[in-house]
Amino acid sequence: MLDDLQPIIIKFPSSCRYIHIYAISDLHIGAKECNIKKFKLWLDMVINDPAGYVVICGDMINNGLKDSKTNVYEEVLRPRDQCDLLIKLLKPLADAGRILGWIGGNHEYRSVRESDDDPAYNCARTLGVSDRYRQNFAGIKISLGTDPRKRTRQCTYVIGLIHGASRIKHMKFCNSLEGFDIVYSGHVHDPYLEIGTKLIFDTHNNAMYTKSHKRIVLPAFLEPGGYALRGEFLPQSYADISRTTLYGYRKAFDHTYLNLDGAL
C-alpha cells in the first residue's frame, strides 16, 4: 500500500478540453438503508459520460463488526460479500480507467484496527487500481489540455480526498492545506459546499494575492432509517449528485449537483 503523502499524478492528453469528476462517498453496502438502485443509476451516468471520472472518499461498505457501533444483526450482507458486490459494481469503471483516486473511511478502518486488513485496499487491488488508493488522505495532481497563457504547459489542478470529520474540524484541516484547488470528503451525511480563501505573499514577484479552494462534502447513498434517524441526521435530497468540470483550455473549474429523482 502506498503512503498517504505520495501524490497521485494523472496526465491527460493536450487535446483533452475538459473532464467531469463524479465524487462519491458513504455508499455503505451492507446496510439495509443502502440505496443500490440509486447507486446503479449513478454508475450508468458516469460510464455513459465519455468525460466522466471518479474519486472515492470512503465508507463504500458498511463493514459491521461485532465490536463496532453498527448493529450486526441489521446487516443485509456479510462484510466479504459487501466487498464482492462493490468490486462487481465498480469493475466497469476500473476496466475503463475511470477511477482517479480512492481512500478508505472509518467503516473500512474498523478492519484495519482489528486485524490490520484494509477491505477498501483489497477491493482497489482486485480492481487493478491499488496505485490510486491511499488509506487516509490522497493528493491528486491532474493535468490536461493546454494552458493558453503558456502554450507548452497544461492546465493543472490539485485535488484532495479525505473521508472527513466534524464540520469545524474539517474546515480547520482544509485551511491547513496549501496549493489545493478542491477537497472532497464525506462522513457527515450532510452535503454542502464551502469556499476557503488564503492571502498569499508572493516573494518572487513582491505581490500579494488571494487563492481559494472549494470544500465539497458529499451525500450518503442511504435511505432514512436506522442509526441515521437515531442520530438525527437530516434527510437528504436525491438531487445532490456531485459533478465537477475541470477545463483544459483555461484554468477554471465548475461544480454542479445533478438530479436523479426523475429516474427513480
Side-chain angles (χ1 to χ4, degrees):
M1 186 186 305
L2 297 175
D3 186 84
D4 292 332
L5 298 184
Q6 182 170 339
I8 300 169
I9 309 298
I10 299 172
K11 187 172 183 178
F12 288 90
S14 59
S15 59
C16 180
R17 292 182 59 80
Y18 65 90
I19 63 170
H20 292 144
I21 297 180
Y22 295 84
I24 186 170
S25 179
D26 296 276
L27 177 58
H28 291 282
I29 289 177
K32 65 181 180 180
E33 296 84 13
C34 174
N35 193 324
I36 288 291
K37 184 177 180 181
K38 178 190 175 187
F39 179 62
K40 289 180 178 178
L41 291 172
W42 181 90
L43 285 171
D44 288 342
M45 178 182 291
V46 179
I47 205 69
N48 290 323
D49 180 354
Y53 294 84
V54 172
V55 294
I56 300 171
C57 291
D59 279 4
M60 295 296 280
I61 63 170
N62 209 47
N63 200 31
L65 306 180
K66 62 181 180 180
D67 294 327
S68 63
K69 292 181 180 179
T70 298
N71 183 349
V72 296
Y73 300 107
E74 294 180 347
E75 296 282 88
V76 297
L77 289 172
R78 62 200 304 177
R80 66 186 181 193
D81 293 334
Q82 296 171 23
C83 290
D84 288 344
L85 178 55
L86 179 62
I87 290 166
K88 178 181 178 181
L89 291 169
L90 292 181
K91 192 175 188 305
L93 291 176
D95 289 347
R98 303 289 193 91
I99 299 177
L100 302 180
W102 187 342
I103 60 167
N106 59 293
H107 279 244
E108 290 98 348
Y109 195 76
R110 294 166 174 171
S111 294
V112 179
R113 183 184 64 244
E114 294 294 329
S115 61
D116 193 32
D117 183 55
D118 185 343
Y121 172 72
N122 294 339
C123 290
R125 182 174 57 186
T126 300
L127 289 167
V129 293
S130 60
D131 60 321
R132 303 283 173 90
Y133 181 82
R134 304 293 185 270
Q135 191 169 81
N136 304 294
F137 177 80
I140 309 172
K141 176 184 174 184
I142 298 175
S143 302
L144 69 155
T146 303
D147 189 331
R149 299 168 300 174
K150 302 173 182 178
R151 295 182 181 179
T152 60
R153 296 187 182 180
Q154 294 187 295
C155 295
T156 299
Y157 302 86
V158 178
I159 293 173
L161 307 182
I162 186 80
H163 184 59
S166 68
R167 188 163 184 162
I168 296 299
K169 189 173 183 178
H170 181 60
M171 179 186 70
K172 290 179 178 179
F173 175 79
C174 291
N175 286 341
S176 74
L177 302 176
E178 187 74 33
F180 286 77
D181 297 298
I182 307 168
V183 181
Y184 292 104
S185 68
H187 183 62
V188 295
H189 299 194
D190 182 18
Y192 62 88
L193 185 152
E194 290 182 334
I195 298 176
T197 304
K198 288 186 176 182
L199 181 63
I200 307 295
F201 194 115
D202 184 347
T203 57
H204 294 288
N205 298 303
N206 292 328
M208 289 189 286
Y209 59 90
T210 58
K211 177 175 173 55
S212 299
H213 69 268
K214 286 187 177 180
R215 300 189 288 268
I216 300 171
V217 180
L218 305 167
F221 279 70
L222 295 172
E223 296 283 357
Y227 77 92
L229 288 180
R230 288 194 300 272
E232 296 184 327
F233 286 101
L234 297 177
Q236 297 179 60
S237 167
Y238 286 115
D240 295 327
I241 304 302
S242 172
R243 188 182 77 181
T244 307
T245 303
L246 306 184
Y247 295 99
Y249 53 88
R250 59 190 173 99
K251 176 64 186 287
F253 58 91
D254 296 325
H255 184 74
T256 188
Y257 293 101
L258 304 178
N259 194 317
L260 291 180
D261 279 339
L264 288 174

